[in-house]
mmCIF file of all heavy atoms in Angstrom:
data_model
loop_
_atom_site.group_PDB
_atom_site.id
_atom_site.type_symbol
_atom_site.label_atom_id
_atom_site.label_comp_id
_atom_site.label_asym_id
_atom_site.label_seq_id
_atom_site.Cartn_x
_atom_site.Cartn_y
_atom_site.Cartn_z
ATOM 1 N N SER A 1 90.253 22.216 106.432
ATOM 2 C CA SER A 1 91.130 22.310 105.268
ATOM 3 C C SER A 1 91.895 23.631 105.259
ATOM 4 O O SER A 1 93.087 23.656 104.988
ATOM 5 C CB SER A 1 90.309 22.171 103.999
ATOM 6 O OG SER A 1 91.120 22.339 102.880
ATOM 7 N N GLU A 2 91.213 24.732 105.548
ATOM 8 C CA GLU A 2 91.876 26.034 105.570
ATOM 9 C C GLU A 2 92.934 26.081 106.670
ATOM 10 O O GLU A 2 94.022 26.600 106.470
ATOM 11 C CB GLU A 2 90.858 27.155 105.783
ATOM 12 C CG GLU A 2 90.006 27.416 104.569
ATOM 13 C CD GLU A 2 88.937 28.467 104.820
ATOM 14 O OE1 GLU A 2 88.969 29.109 105.879
ATOM 15 O OE2 GLU A 2 88.078 28.645 103.945
ATOM 16 N N LYS A 3 92.628 25.519 107.827
ATOM 17 C CA LYS A 3 93.597 25.500 108.923
ATOM 18 C C LYS A 3 94.817 24.666 108.554
ATOM 19 O O LYS A 3 95.943 25.039 108.841
ATOM 20 C CB LYS A 3 92.940 24.946 110.192
ATOM 21 C CG LYS A 3 91.938 25.899 110.810
ATOM 22 C CD LYS A 3 91.253 25.275 111.994
ATOM 23 C CE LYS A 3 90.153 26.166 112.524
ATOM 24 N NZ LYS A 3 89.371 25.525 113.570
ATOM 25 N N GLU A 4 94.567 23.527 107.888
ATOM 26 C CA GLU A 4 95.685 22.683 107.466
ATOM 27 C C GLU A 4 96.547 23.406 106.435
ATOM 28 O O GLU A 4 97.764 23.348 106.491
ATOM 29 C CB GLU A 4 95.165 21.367 106.889
ATOM 30 C CG GLU A 4 94.603 20.425 107.926
ATOM 31 C CD GLU A 4 93.983 19.191 107.311
ATOM 32 O OE1 GLU A 4 93.897 19.093 106.068
ATOM 33 O OE2 GLU A 4 93.555 18.320 108.087
ATOM 34 N N ASP A 5 95.910 24.093 105.475
ATOM 35 C CA ASP A 5 96.657 24.844 104.468
ATOM 36 C C ASP A 5 97.547 25.888 105.122
ATOM 37 O O ASP A 5 98.711 26.025 104.791
ATOM 38 C CB ASP A 5 95.713 25.537 103.477
ATOM 39 C CG ASP A 5 95.074 24.569 102.493
ATOM 40 O OD1 ASP A 5 95.526 23.409 102.442
ATOM 41 O OD2 ASP A 5 94.141 24.981 101.799
ATOM 42 N N LYS A 6 96.979 26.645 106.061
ATOM 43 C CA LYS A 6 97.744 27.703 106.721
ATOM 44 C C LYS A 6 98.880 27.122 107.550
ATOM 45 O O LYS A 6 99.980 27.665 107.569
ATOM 46 C CB LYS A 6 96.823 28.562 107.584
ATOM 47 C CG LYS A 6 95.924 29.447 106.746
ATOM 48 C CD LYS A 6 95.031 30.306 107.592
ATOM 49 C CE LYS A 6 94.107 31.123 106.696
ATOM 50 N NZ LYS A 6 93.153 31.912 107.443
ATOM 51 N N SER A 7 98.623 26.000 108.214
ATOM 52 C CA SER A 7 99.682 25.413 109.023
ATOM 53 C C SER A 7 100.803 24.868 108.136
ATOM 54 O O SER A 7 101.972 24.933 108.499
ATOM 55 C CB SER A 7 99.137 24.314 109.934
ATOM 56 O OG SER A 7 98.684 23.216 109.177
ATOM 57 N N LEU A 8 100.457 24.344 106.963
ATOM 58 C CA LEU A 8 101.486 23.858 106.043
ATOM 59 C C LEU A 8 102.346 25.003 105.540
ATOM 60 O O LEU A 8 103.561 24.881 105.435
ATOM 61 C CB LEU A 8 100.855 23.130 104.864
ATOM 62 C CG LEU A 8 100.286 21.751 105.149
ATOM 63 C CD1 LEU A 8 99.529 21.229 103.942
ATOM 64 C CD2 LEU A 8 101.364 20.785 105.556
ATOM 65 N N VAL A 9 101.722 26.136 105.231
ATOM 66 C CA VAL A 9 102.482 27.295 104.764
ATOM 67 C C VAL A 9 103.372 27.811 105.879
ATOM 68 O O VAL A 9 104.556 28.096 105.666
ATOM 69 C CB VAL A 9 101.529 28.413 104.264
ATOM 70 C CG1 VAL A 9 102.294 29.693 104.021
ATOM 71 C CG2 VAL A 9 100.836 27.975 102.989
ATOM 72 N N GLN A 10 102.826 27.910 107.077
ATOM 73 C CA GLN A 10 103.601 28.431 108.195
ATOM 74 C C GLN A 10 104.745 27.497 108.578
ATOM 75 O O GLN A 10 105.819 27.937 108.967
ATOM 76 C CB GLN A 10 102.687 28.675 109.398
ATOM 77 C CG GLN A 10 101.743 29.844 109.176
ATOM 78 C CD GLN A 10 100.680 29.945 110.253
ATOM 79 O OE1 GLN A 10 100.536 29.057 111.083
ATOM 80 N NE2 GLN A 10 99.926 31.027 110.233
ATOM 81 N N SER A 11 104.519 26.199 108.459
ATOM 82 C CA SER A 11 105.565 25.256 108.833
ATOM 83 C C SER A 11 106.649 25.129 107.768
ATOM 84 O O SER A 11 107.669 24.511 107.995
ATOM 85 C CB SER A 11 104.952 23.878 109.106
ATOM 86 O OG SER A 11 104.492 23.300 107.902
ATOM 87 N N GLY A 12 106.398 25.691 106.593
ATOM 88 C CA GLY A 12 107.391 25.627 105.528
ATOM 89 C C GLY A 12 107.243 24.416 104.636
ATOM 90 O O GLY A 12 108.084 24.162 103.783
ATOM 91 N N SER A 13 106.168 23.624 104.815
ATOM 92 C CA SER A 13 105.953 22.459 103.965
ATOM 93 C C SER A 13 105.565 22.847 102.550
ATOM 94 O O SER A 13 105.789 22.104 101.618
ATOM 95 C CB SER A 13 104.864 21.567 104.557
ATOM 96 O OG SER A 13 105.274 21.094 105.822
ATOM 97 N N ILE A 14 104.938 24.011 102.403
ATOM 98 C CA ILE A 14 104.547 24.507 101.090
ATOM 99 C C ILE A 14 105.484 25.651 100.740
ATOM 100 O O ILE A 14 105.675 26.559 101.539
ATOM 101 C CB ILE A 14 103.087 24.996 101.097
ATOM 102 C CG1 ILE A 14 102.149 23.824 101.371
ATOM 103 C CG2 ILE A 14 102.736 25.657 99.774
ATOM 104 C CD1 ILE A 14 100.706 24.201 101.478
ATOM 105 N N PRO A 15 106.061 25.622 99.542
ATOM 106 C CA PRO A 15 106.972 26.705 99.154
ATOM 107 C C PRO A 15 106.293 28.071 99.213
ATOM 108 O O PRO A 15 105.107 28.197 98.924
ATOM 109 C CB PRO A 15 107.350 26.364 97.714
ATOM 110 C CG PRO A 15 107.043 24.920 97.570
ATOM 111 C CD PRO A 15 105.936 24.606 98.512
ATOM 112 N N GLN A 16 107.044 29.074 99.586
ATOM 113 C CA GLN A 16 106.529 30.432 99.708
ATOM 114 C C GLN A 16 105.947 30.929 98.377
ATOM 115 O O GLN A 16 104.976 31.666 98.364
ATOM 116 C CB GLN A 16 107.653 31.373 100.178
ATOM 117 C CG GLN A 16 107.193 32.748 100.563
ATOM 118 C CD GLN A 16 106.364 32.773 101.840
ATOM 119 O OE1 GLN A 16 106.386 31.825 102.607
ATOM 120 N NE2 GLN A 16 105.633 33.835 102.038
ATOM 121 N N SER A 17 106.524 30.491 97.263
ATOM 122 C CA SER A 17 106.054 30.933 95.948
ATOM 123 C C SER A 17 104.641 30.440 95.640
ATOM 124 O O SER A 17 103.956 31.009 94.799
ATOM 125 C CB SER A 17 107.011 30.482 94.861
ATOM 126 O OG SER A 17 107.108 29.076 94.865
ATOM 127 N N TRP A 18 104.187 29.396 96.323
ATOM 128 C CA TRP A 18 102.841 28.869 96.112
ATOM 129 C C TRP A 18 101.803 29.625 96.926
ATOM 130 O O TRP A 18 100.613 29.448 96.727
ATOM 131 C CB TRP A 18 102.776 27.406 96.477
ATOM 132 C CG TRP A 18 103.529 26.506 95.528
ATOM 133 C CD1 TRP A 18 104.414 26.866 94.564
ATOM 134 C CD2 TRP A 18 103.439 25.105 95.480
ATOM 135 N NE1 TRP A 18 104.895 25.768 93.921
ATOM 136 C CE2 TRP A 18 104.316 24.659 94.478
ATOM 137 C CE3 TRP A 18 102.736 24.169 96.202
ATOM 138 C CZ2 TRP A 18 104.472 23.332 94.154
ATOM 139 C CZ3 TRP A 18 102.891 22.834 95.893
ATOM 140 C CH2 TRP A 18 103.751 22.426 94.877
ATOM 141 N N ARG A 19 102.259 30.430 97.844
ATOM 142 C CA ARG A 19 101.348 31.122 98.743
ATOM 143 C C ARG A 19 100.357 31.995 97.977
ATOM 144 O O ARG A 19 99.175 32.068 98.334
ATOM 145 C CB ARG A 19 102.137 31.972 99.724
ATOM 146 C CG ARG A 19 101.342 32.421 100.883
ATOM 147 C CD ARG A 19 102.224 33.035 101.917
ATOM 148 N NE ARG A 19 101.449 33.048 103.133
ATOM 149 C CZ ARG A 19 101.904 33.314 104.293
ATOM 150 N NH1 ARG A 19 103.169 33.586 104.441
ATOM 151 N NH2 ARG A 19 101.120 33.307 105.335
ATOM 152 N N CYS A 20 100.815 32.656 96.893
ATOM 153 C CA CYS A 20 99.917 33.505 96.107
ATOM 154 C C CYS A 20 98.826 32.687 95.422
ATOM 155 O O CYS A 20 97.753 33.207 95.137
ATOM 156 C CB CYS A 20 100.697 34.332 95.098
ATOM 157 S SG CYS A 20 101.537 33.358 93.844
ATOM 158 N N LEU A 21 99.082 31.407 95.160
ATOM 159 C CA LEU A 21 98.059 30.550 94.571
ATOM 160 C C LEU A 21 97.013 30.130 95.593
ATOM 161 O O LEU A 21 95.836 30.024 95.282
ATOM 162 C CB LEU A 21 98.699 29.301 93.959
ATOM 163 C CG LEU A 21 99.649 29.536 92.789
ATOM 164 C CD1 LEU A 21 100.309 28.223 92.392
ATOM 165 C CD2 LEU A 21 98.912 30.144 91.626
ATOM 166 N N LEU A 22 97.460 29.902 96.817
ATOM 167 C CA LEU A 22 96.533 29.489 97.878
ATOM 168 C C LEU A 22 95.743 30.659 98.438
ATOM 169 O O LEU A 22 94.599 30.491 98.847
ATOM 170 C CB LEU A 22 97.305 28.808 99.009
ATOM 171 C CG LEU A 22 97.960 27.481 98.679
ATOM 172 C CD1 LEU A 22 98.802 27.000 99.847
ATOM 173 C CD2 LEU A 22 96.912 26.449 98.328
ATOM 174 N N TYR A 23 96.354 31.838 98.494
ATOM 175 C CA TYR A 23 95.727 33.007 99.094
ATOM 176 C C TYR A 23 95.882 34.209 98.165
ATOM 177 O O TYR A 23 96.658 35.115 98.445
ATOM 178 C CB TYR A 23 96.351 33.307 100.463
ATOM 179 C CG TYR A 23 96.350 32.100 101.369
ATOM 180 C CD1 TYR A 23 97.517 31.383 101.602
ATOM 181 C CD2 TYR A 23 95.180 31.648 101.953
ATOM 182 C CE1 TYR A 23 97.515 30.257 102.404
ATOM 183 C CE2 TYR A 23 95.170 30.530 102.761
ATOM 184 C CZ TYR A 23 96.333 29.836 102.986
ATOM 185 O OH TYR A 23 96.330 28.725 103.785
ATOM 186 N N PRO A 24 95.129 34.229 97.051
ATOM 187 C CA PRO A 24 95.266 35.347 96.111
ATOM 188 C C PRO A 24 94.723 36.643 96.714
ATOM 189 O O PRO A 24 93.834 36.618 97.565
ATOM 190 C CB PRO A 24 94.423 34.916 94.915
ATOM 191 C CG PRO A 24 93.442 33.945 95.469
ATOM 192 C CD PRO A 24 94.132 33.259 96.606
ATOM 193 N N SER A 25 95.244 37.764 96.242
ATOM 194 C CA SER A 25 94.778 39.056 96.731
ATOM 195 C C SER A 25 93.400 39.351 96.138
ATOM 196 O O SER A 25 93.000 38.780 95.119
ATOM 197 C CB SER A 25 95.753 40.153 96.323
ATOM 198 O OG SER A 25 95.731 40.323 94.921
#
């Protein structure tokens, strides 16, 4: 699941603005 999430973010399938929700500091 984590690998799929990261690949979706890297491929641009998930908007950049959602990245903070998936990977909070």
Side-chain angles (χ1 to χ4, degrees):
S1 176
E2 287 176 9
K3 289 176 186 173
E4 288 175 355
D5 286 349
K6 288 181 183 176
S7 67
L8 287 172
V9 170
Q10 290 170 351
S11 70
S13 298
I14 296 177
Q16 190 69 17
S17 60
W18 290 12
R19 195 170 197 169
C20 64
L21 296 174
L22 294 174
Y23 307 105
S25 67

